């Protein structure tokens, strides 16, 4: 691993969350095998997956009050404009994102990267859910698998993930 | 993309880039289009350059610098602060400042 | 606390753990804040009733009589967050 230029702003986040919500965090003992890139990014179809609770206006808001979480996801059309979208999520600072959604959900930047030829194309949908989920096994077995299936059905070749 | 390096070390994704930013601000600060873009392209670069699974790359940014440059940028460009949720095409109008730190 | 952890607490009749969890959830990870948030919600519910306004009791009674327990429980959590949002003191901004 490379030298750290600066440590994270909230050090000890892992310990803090585990002390407050024991058993709610996902950890893995092994890494998965690195999937090689079949062709240049400039020819690949990209999808974006976020736990920022971003959703198209008018869709059923994520259940942010539920004591054990919401295990559903929303499709976000990759050609949407930030004004078409809204955030339903608690527990992470949204002050930056409420002024410019690209701070956490960089949909405009990804559209520009395609227009500039850096990225081949965007999958028709991006995917969004909320990160407050108290059952990591259910999350992995249902929500993560559902999104993975949808991404495969979209024929996306590369994915950018941003856990909020 | 992660702002929580210690969490990512436990999850062990095959490719990861870390930025020492505030939670909820993985791609920087509002209206800093060039910074947002640079972070995305740095992450995408890992697709072809990562030598092994599980490495976390620390991008050379400092939150204090990013936040200060964001404020200067907004102060220097009129109209950027009005109209919440409106994305202003700022990158073309403002000189590239690049990562610092 | 993870779902299995909470279910174990229910099975063991461990109310202290469940109470702690509710306070953590409502207090954004801080038990003492959660305690205050619960009080805050009740004050928000009390104040609008002090002038004895007309209320839609039929709606309330019908809801209690016809909705299932889980929906009512969800309504309880929804009302909590609705009331604390109404109070203008919003703590769920990720800063705790």
């Amino acid at each position: 691993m490379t030298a750290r230029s600066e440590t994270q702003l909230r050090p000890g986040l892992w310990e803090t969350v585990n002390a407050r919500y024991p058993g709610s965090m996902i950890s893995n003992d092994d890494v998965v095998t690195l999937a090689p890139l079949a062709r240049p990014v400039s020819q690949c179809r990209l999808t974006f997956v976020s736990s920022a609770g971003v959703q198209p206006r008018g869709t059923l808001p994520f259940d942010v009050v539920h004591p054990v979480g919401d295990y559903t996801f929303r499709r976000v059309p990759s050609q949407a404009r930030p004004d078409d979208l809204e955030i339903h999520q608690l527990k992470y600072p949204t002050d930056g994102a409420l002024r410019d959604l690209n701070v956490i959900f960089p949909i405009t930047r990804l559209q520009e990267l395609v227009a500039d030829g850096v990225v081949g194309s965007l999958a028709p949908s991006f995917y969004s859910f909320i990160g407050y989920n108290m059952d990591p096994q259910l999350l992995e077995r249902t929500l993560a698998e559902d999104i993975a299936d949808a991404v495969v059905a979209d024929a996306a070749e590369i994915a950018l993930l941003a856990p909020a | 993309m992660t702002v929580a390096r210690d969490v990512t070390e436990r999850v062990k994704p095959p490719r990861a880039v870390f930025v020492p930013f505030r939670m909820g601000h993985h791609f920087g600060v509002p209206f800093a289009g060039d910074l947002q873009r640079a972070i995305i392209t740095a992450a995408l670069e890992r697709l072809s350059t990562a030598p092994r699974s599980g490495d976390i790359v620390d991008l050379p940014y400092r939150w204090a610098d990013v936040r200060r440059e964001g404020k200067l940028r907004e102060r220097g460009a009129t109209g950027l602060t009005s109209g919440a949720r409106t994305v202003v095409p700022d990158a073309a109008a403002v000189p590239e400042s690049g990562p610092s730190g | 606390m993870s779902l299995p952890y909470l279910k174990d607490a229910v099975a063991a009749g461990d109310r202290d753990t469940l109470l702690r969890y509710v306070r953590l959830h409502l207090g954004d990870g801080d038990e003492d804040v959660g305690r205050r948030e619960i009080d805050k919600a009740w004050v928000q519910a009390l104040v609008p009733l002090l002038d004895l306004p007309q209320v839609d009791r039929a709606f309330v009674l019908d809801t209690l009589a016809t909705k299932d327990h889980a929906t009512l429980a969800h309504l309880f959590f929804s009302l909590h967050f609705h009331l604390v949002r109404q109070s203008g003191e919003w703590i769920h901004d990720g800063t705790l």
Side-chain angles (χ1 to χ4, degrees):
Chain A
M1 293 182 193
T2 42
R4 300 180 190 191
S5 52
E6 191 181 38
T7 51
Q8 66 193 46
L9 282 193
R10 283 188 67 177
L13 195 62
W14 172 267
E15 283 81 8
T16 303
V17 176
N18 273 291
R20 293 173 176 177
Y21 306 104
S24 68
M25 297 287 271
I26 290 173
S27 68
N28 292 305
D29 293 331
D30 298 309
V31 295
V32 296
T33 307
L34 199 67
L37 189 65
R39 46 194 183 137
V41 170
S42 60
Q43 296 172 25
C44 286
R45 176 182 282 209
L46 178 143
T47 194
F48 177 63
V49 183
S50 162
S51 63
V54 171
Q55 53 186 109
R57 289 183 184 277
T59 56
L60 186 69
F62 284 114
D63 188 353
V64 297
V65 308
H66 201 293
V68 294
D70 182 341
Y71 299 82
T72 65
F73 68 86
R74 303 287 180 277
R75 291 174 197 270
V76 177
S78 61
Q79 295 309 315
R81 297 172 303 123
D83 283 352
D84 302 331
L85 307 172
E86 59 189 8
I87 299 174
H88 287 279
Q89 169 69 303
L90 309 177
K91 303 182 197 297
Y92 82 84
T94 50
D95 50 304
L98 291 177
R99 297 171 60 223
D100 175 6
L101 189 68
N102 290 287
V103 163
I104 192 67
F105 200 92
I107 190 165
T108 314
R109 299 290 91 77
L110 292 170
Q111 291 164 356
E112 289 168 358
L113 287 169
V114 171
D116 294 345
V118 178
V119 173
S121 63
L122 300 179
S125 296
F126 294 158
Y127 294 90
S128 173
F129 58 102
I130 63 171
Y132 183 82
N133 291 296
M134 287 297 113
D135 189 343
Q137 287 188 329
L138 182 64
L139 181 87
E140 286 196 298
R141 280 201 311 264
T142 60
L143 177 58
E145 289 289 334
D146 290 347
I147 292 177
D149 288 346
V151 165
V152 170
D154 285 346
E157 295 155 298
I158 55 177
L160 179 63
L161 313 184
Chain B
M1 281 301 315
T2 178
V3 296
R5 201 182 201 286
D6 59 346
V7 175
T8 302
E9 285 167 5
R10 265 80 171 196
V11 175
K12 296 183 175 57
R15 298 172 173 94
V17 294
F18 165 73
V19 283
F21 293 171
R22 194 162 159 245
M23 284 175 73
H25 295 69
H26 293 40
F27 299 92
V29 289
F31 313 118
D34 50 355
L35 171 67
Q36 296 165 2
R37 182 182 170 118
I39 292 168
I40 298 168
T41 52
L44 295 180
E45 238 173 65
R46 295 297 295 164
L47 287 163
S48 51
T49 59
R52 70 188 74 81
S53 185
D55 283 1
I56 302 172
V57 169
D58 298 275
L59 298 187
Y61 295 101
R62 287 163 46 88
W63 177 245
D65 297 337
V66 163
R67 195 173 49 174
R68 187 177 59 246
E69 285 169 20
K71 281 183 181 165
L72 288 173
R73 176 192 303 264
E74 286 195 58
R75 241 174 259 155
T78 53
L80 286 185
T81 52
S82 64
R85 305 191 65 83
T86 303
V87 178
V88 180
D90 56 310
V94 182
E96 173 74 45
S97 54
S100 14
Chain C
M1 284 161 216
S2 69
L3 194 54
Y5 196 100
L6 294 170
K7 285 185 170 172
D8 285 350
V10 173
D14 181 358
R15 296 192 70 81
D16 285 347
T17 292
L18 296 171
L19 194 53
R20 177 164 181 261
Y21 177 71
V22 170
R23 288 174 181 154
L24 283 168
H25 175 50
L26 302 183
D28 236 4
D30 185 316
E31 215 179 326
D32 290 333
V33 171
R35 203 190 298 256
R36 287 201 299 275
E37 287 289 292
I38 293 166
D39 291 348
K40 203 164 92 184
W42 279 101
V43 169
Q44 280 298 119
L46 168 73
V47 171
L49 297 176
L50 293 180
D51 294 332
L52 300 174
Q54 285 281 331
V55 295
D56 189 349
R57 284 198 73 221
F59 162 76
V60 173
L61 293 172
D62 184 61
T63 301
L64 294 178
T66 56
K67 297 296 179 184
D68 61 274
H69 288 320
T71 300
L72 290 175
H74 192 272
L75 179 63
F76 198 61
F77 276 99
S78 301
L79 281 172
H80 169 88
F81 281 99
H82 177 76
L83 290 168
V84 296
R85 199 184 281 276
Q86 220 177 39
S87 78
E89 296 171 39
W90 187 246
I91 62 150
H92 301 279
D93 57 3
T95 54
L96 281 175

